[in-house]
Amino acid sequence: MDAPLSIVAPVTFEDFFRREHARIVALAAAVSGSRLYAEDVAQEAMVAAHDAWPRISAYDDPGAWVRRVVVNRSISRRRKFASEAKTRLR
């Protein structure tokens, strides 16, 4: 006799947000060194995740996608701020 298939209810974005938000903010703070900045980056990443939710919700780990967005945006902001600081010094 075959084992019954387990049915997993799809995770809603709201459930995902509640589960992952604190971890996303902590990652952003670790990468950026600023809690205030981390909140902004985490919010931007979650908005991007919400917009892409129909696609990324099917991933094995949608949180990995959001963490990559956080790291990419953090790096981009650091570069931008460093470039602006160099320009101001000139």
Side-chain angles (χ1 to χ4, degrees):
M1 175 155 75
D2 294 333
L5 294 174
S6 64
I7 298 174
V8 177
V11 175
T12 65
F13 178 78
E14 291 77 15
D15 292 338
F16 171 79
F17 181 90
R18 280 195 254 350
R19 185 182 70 226
E20 295 290 329
H21 184 260
R23 286 185 250 183
I24 296 302
V25 173
L27 173 63
V31 173
S32 70
S34 166
R35 176 71 180 191
L36 191 63
Y37 169 78
E39 292 285 345
D40 288 344
V41 172
Q43 183 176 357
E44 290 173 9
M46 285 298 193
V47 168
H50 182 268
D51 293 345
W53 192 247
R55 178 174 47 92
I56 68 170
S57 64
Y59 293 174
D60 288 339
D61 184 7
W65 185 91
V66 177
R67 289 187 296 275
R68 186 77 246 170
V69 169
V70 165
V71 170
N72 288 346
R73 289 184 184 214
S74 295
I75 291 169
S76 293
R77 278 197 175 184
R78 270 194 169 186
R79 288 180 181 153
K80 179 182 175 188
F81 291 143
S83 176
E84 288 174 357
K86 286 180 186 177
T87 301
R88 285 187 195 125
L89 289 174
R90 288 184 201 153

